[in-house]
């Protein structure tokens, strides 16, 4: 129900709020107080921006995302969302033209308590352009990544927020009720109906509160938006809402971005930012919403400021959530070698991460190659000291060999390999009982060391890889490295992402001494 007296009270606050803020704005080039606050990714000293363009066949995908710390749940969620979108785009690729997907990110608010992020996604193919923008909110106290709905107190508040947007469309853009786009139209007619019922009830002389039997569907199932799961559920139900792309404005209100074409009266091809005044926002914003607004208004993005969340990050984390994605882990054994550097150049063209099962005895020969692997996000694995068959050894010998190799790697990169690949895939109970790392085999054996034929290697990998596959290759053979561009291009065009073994199985998906071949679902 709409409480009109409350709304009137709030609009008084609005005027005051606007006056105060406009007084603070500098005279030169300052953004209008109604503009959305958006903070570029590179505003912080500790944030590296990854930008990538992958051209394969007739399609192009490009994206940029922040790299603060791999363990940041928000960063992982952003990358996962972008990866999902990329797969969706590639799987539905038209076979003509030059379709392109461009995804970018910015921050909406940054403080030690909350970080808001916005992902924009634009598909263009010839003349047609479609854009879709999403926002995510990271709450440092719960370490949860939350949807936009968490910024509101409850579903009645969501309804109110949408009505506020409707009013802006009606009053400032002359959009008649019948032309309100999608959800806004539904909300507006619902409110219209409710008001009519209320008026009718008042005319009959009865009090409209309390006994009114016509309860709107909303009130029956009012869900708790401070609960992450319920907030996500509600966000699903409100999919397509313009509030999915909301930011805070310099005046402390909401700045709601409407995609081109969404506002019927706006001149074609332009996006329109609707400004909802601060006063009308305050009535329905949750505690997190207020914290987020403070963070947006505080704008911590002064040149070179540190990204404020480092200390509150969980200890461990991974880059992408492969439980939700088409992931493949490419693994390269027996190196490093003279072709490994070129291989990393090729992987970089596809933003691909791989896992290198190195021999301990070679580590000292190629320290800079190992450091580069580490710096570029690849994973190092333990392939024993000199490729001996672990199944021929005593538990003590196994431990000594594995430990020696672990330490060699740690000396160069600072951390021990998280997994082991036993040479020849040979192992027994003694081996798995002796080691502390999981033992990783494979489900796709390219036989590259035997065939030494790039074409055959690529064909095999393309024909047999599926979601969750671990592909076995050897970077010491030139023909294997030469097969990689074709493997990457072919799998990329099918919507696959190339991840490390740890990302593929997930941190909780691996135990000490456990033997794993793949993470396929079926
Ligand atoms: Ni090997």
């Amino acid at each position: 129900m709409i409480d009109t007296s409350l709304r009137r009270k709030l609009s008084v606050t609005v005027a005051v709020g606007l006056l105060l803020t406009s007084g603070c704005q500098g005279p030169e080039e300052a953004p209008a107080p109604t503009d959305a606050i958006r903070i570029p990714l590179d505003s912080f000293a500790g944030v590296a921006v990854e930008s990538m363009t992958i051209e394969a066949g007739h399609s192009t995908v490009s994206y940029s995302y922040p790299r603060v710390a791999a363990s940041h749940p928000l960063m992982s969620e952003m990358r996962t969302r972008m990866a999902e979108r990329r797969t969706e785009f590639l799987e539905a690729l038209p076979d003509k033209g030059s379709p392109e997907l461009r995804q970018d990110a910015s921050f909406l608010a940054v403080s030690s308590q909350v970080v808001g992020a916005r992902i924009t996604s634009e598909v263009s193919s010839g003349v047609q352009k479609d854009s879709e923008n999403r926002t995510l909110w990271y709450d440092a106290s719960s370490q949860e990544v939350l949807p936009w709905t968490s910024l509101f107190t409850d579903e009645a508040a969501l309804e109110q927020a949408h009505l506020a947007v409707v009013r802006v469309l009606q009053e400032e853009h002359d959009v008649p009720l019948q032309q309100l786009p999608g959800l806004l139209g539904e909300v507006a007619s619902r409110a219209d109906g409710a008001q009519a019922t209320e008026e009718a009830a008042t005319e009959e002389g009865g009090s409209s509160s309390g006994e009114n039997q016509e309860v709107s569907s909303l009130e029956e199932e009012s869900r708790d938006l401070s609960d992450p799961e319920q907030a996500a559920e509600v966000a699903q139900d409100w999919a397509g809402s313009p509030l999915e792309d909301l930011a805070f404005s310099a005046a402390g209100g909401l700045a709601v971005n409407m995609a081109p074409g969404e506002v019927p009266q706006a001149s074609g091809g332009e996006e329109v930012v609707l400004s909802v005044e601060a006063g009308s926002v305050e009535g329905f914003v949750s505690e997190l919403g207020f914290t987020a607004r403070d963070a947006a208004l505080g704008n911590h993005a002064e040149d070179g400021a540190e990204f404020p969340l480092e200390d509150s990050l969980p200890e461990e984390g991974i880059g992408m959530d492969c439980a939700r994605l088409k992931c493949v882990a490419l693994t390269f054994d027996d190196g490093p070698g003279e072709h490994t550097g070129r291989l990393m150049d090729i992987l970089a063209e596809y933003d691909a991460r791989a896992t290198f099962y190195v021999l301990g005895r070679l580590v000292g020969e190629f320290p800079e190659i190992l450091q580069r692997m580490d710096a570029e996000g690849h994973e190092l694995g333990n392939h024993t000291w000199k490729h001996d068959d672990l199944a021929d050894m005593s538990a003590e010998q196994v431990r000594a060999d594995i430990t020696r190799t672990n330490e060699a790697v740690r000396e160069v990169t600072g951390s021990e390999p998280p997994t082991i690949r036993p040479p020849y895939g040979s192992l027994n109970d003694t081996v798995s009982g002796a080691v502390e790392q999981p033992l990783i085999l494979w489900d796709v054996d390219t036989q590259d060391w035997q065939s030494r034929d790039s074409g055959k290697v690529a064909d095999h990998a393309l024909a047999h890889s599926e979601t969750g596959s671990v592909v076995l290759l050897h970077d010491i053979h030139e023909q294997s490295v030469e097969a990689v561009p074709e493997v990457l291009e072919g799998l990329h065009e099918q919507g696959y992402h190339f991840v490390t073994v740890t990302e593929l199985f997930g941190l909780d998906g691996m135990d000490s001494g456990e033997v794993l071949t793949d993470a396929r679902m079926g």
Side-chain angles (χ1 to χ4, degrees):
M1 296 286 129
I2 312 156
D3 184 340
T4 40
S5 66
L6 179 63
R7 207 198 303 152
R8 234 175 281 122
K9 230 186 300 167
L10 286 170
S11 49
V12 176
T13 334
V14 176
V16 177
L18 275 177
L19 273 175
L20 284 175
T21 342
S22 52
C24 302
Q25 291 292 331
E28 78 308 335
E29 282 188 58
T34 52
D35 282 353
I37 296 171
R38 289 185 194 136
I39 308 162
L41 296 182
D42 58 8
S43 312
F44 298 92
V47 179
V49 183
E50 295 277 326
S51 288
M52 198 59 218
T53 297
I54 303 171
E55 291 180 52
H58 64 300
S59 72
T60 307
V61 298
S62 52
Y63 46 90
S64 57
Y65 57 84
R67 248 176 61 183
V68 179
S71 61
H72 199 302
L74 178 64
M75 304 309 148
S76 170
E77 184 63 26
M78 289 171 81
R79 287 192 62 197
T80 303
R81 295 282 183 110
M82 286 185 167
E84 281 174 327
R85 183 74 192 93
R86 179 172 127 189
T87 298
E88 197 181 283
F89 167 77
L90 289 164
E91 285 185 337
L93 209 59
D95 32 86
K96 278 191 232 153
S98 44
E100 183 171 352
L101 168 68
R102 151 122 240 126
Q103 297 189 87
D104 286 296
S106 56
F107 294 122
L108 298 172
V110 179
S111 77
S112 56
Q113 290 159 304
V114 67
V115 179
R118 176 177 191 248
I119 303 172
T120 62
S121 144
E122 188 177 84
V123 172
S124 59
S125 48
V127 276
Q128 215 190 326
K129 271 192 181 172
D130 282 313
S131 62
E132 194 184 84
N133 307 323
R134 294 281 175 274
T135 50
L136 295 167
W137 298 87
Y138 173 74
D139 176 12
S141 62
S142 64
Q143 298 188 347
E144 296 259 13
V145 179
L146 302 165
W148 62 275
T149 45
S150 303
L151 301 178
F152 297 91
T153 49
D154 53 24
E155 287 183 84
L158 276 190
E159 198 91 0
Q160 293 301 312
H162 283 78
L163 283 175
V165 174
V166 165
R167 279 194 299 277
V168 174
L169 277 173
Q170 288 177 328
E171 286 161 21
E172 283 165 35
H173 298 268
D174 300 317
V175 182
L177 183 67
Q178 306 77 14
Q179 282 183 36
L180 288 168
L183 264 172
L184 291 175
E186 285 169 36
V187 174
S189 8
R190 200 147 61 209
D192 238 27
Q195 200 169 13
T197 316
E198 201 173 324
E199 276 162 18
T202 317
E203 270 164 38
E204 279 160 27
S207 151
S208 66
S209 61
E211 299 105 320
N212 197 340
Q213 294 303 302
E214 293 231 4
V215 189
S216 86
S217 59
L218 260 168
E219 281 163 289
E220 287 168 27
E221 36 149 338
S222 197
R223 288 166 285 189
D224 179 9
L225 296 179
S226 66
D227 175 275
E229 267 173 46
Q230 293 186 48
E233 212 178 273
V234 173
Q236 278 243 289
D237 291 349
W238 288 78
S241 161
L243 293 181
E244 284 177 335
D245 190 13
L246 73 77
F248 291 97
S249 70
L254 296 182
V256 179
N257 192 66
M258 304 283 283
E262 259 192 312
V263 178
Q265 259 63 6
S267 56
E270 297 282 306
E271 48 180 45
V272 177
V273 179
L274 303 178
S275 164
V276 180
E277 292 166 337
S280 47
V281 171
E282 278 156 8
F284 32 79
V285 166
S286 66
E287 205 179 310
L288 179 72
F290 280 111
T291 311
R293 188 176 73 164
D294 288 347
L297 293 173
N299 194 358
H300 296 263
E302 279 112 39
D303 280 332
E306 288 292 326
F307 198 73
L309 277 177
E310 299 284 356
D311 294 341
S312 65
L313 291 179
E315 287 281 294
E316 291 187 321
I318 49 173
M320 268 198 245
D321 184 357
C322 284
R324 288 155 56 189
L325 296 168
K326 275 177 93 165
C327 291
V328 164
L330 301 181
T331 62
F332 296 92
D333 289 12
D334 300 357
E338 51 173 328
H339 310 295
T340 310
R342 193 171 115 66
L343 171 59
M344 283 194 276
D345 294 343
I346 298 167
L347 291 167
E349 283 175 43
Y350 285 84
D351 201 17
R353 304 288 179 276
T355 304
F356 291 91
Y357 286 102
V358 299
L359 294 176
R361 71 173 178 84
L362 294 176
V363 167
E365 253 181 75
F366 297 94
E368 66 294 332
I369 288 284
L370 262 79
Q371 279 156 356
R372 181 175 165 197
M373 288 172 181
D374 190 51
E376 296 185 3
H378 302 300
E379 188 164 291
L380 283 134
N382 185 327
H383 200 39
T384 74
W385 185 258
K386 54 183 176 67
H387 215 273
D388 288 334
D389 189 338
L390 292 174
D392 290 341
M393 299 183 195
S394 69
E396 217 166 291
Q397 287 170 317
V398 168
R399 259 192 298 271
D401 185 307
I402 295 299
T403 305
R404 189 179 179 196
T405 305
N406 282 344
E407 278 168 5
V409 172
R410 193 183 52 203
E411 224 163 83
V412 175
T413 67
S415 50
E416 287 187 3
T419 66
I420 298 166
R421 167 157 294 155
Y424 319 103
S426 170
L427 54 90
N428 54 26
D429 289 347
T430 310
V431 176
S432 41
V435 299
E436 280 170 17
Q437 293 133 293
L439 296 149
I440 308 297
L441 300 179
W442 56 85
D443 64 307
V444 179
D445 182 355
T446 60
Q447 311 267 352
D448 60 335
W449 58 275
Q450 237 170 355
S451 75
R452 306 286 182 96
D453 179 327
S454 306
K456 279 189 185 160
V457 171
D459 286 349
H460 189 96
L462 290 172
H464 294 90
S465 296
E466 49 187 284
T467 297
S469 280
V470 177
V471 184
L472 171 63
L473 292 148
H474 296 81
D475 52 325
I476 48 167
H477 303 308
E478 192 175 8
Q479 298 91 338
S480 305
V481 172
E482 278 169 8
V484 173
E486 201 181 327
V487 174
L488 292 171
E489 179 172 13
L491 292 176
H492 166 82
E493 286 187 298
Q494 292 175 42
Y496 284 101
H497 306 280
F498 306 100
V499 299
T500 65
V501 161
T502 304
E503 284 177 318
L504 187 77
F505 290 102
L507 290 169
D508 306 327
M510 302 190 293
D511 289 319
S512 292
E514 189 185 6
V515 182
L516 296 158
T517 57
D518 61 76
R520 291 181 305 183
M521 304 292 172

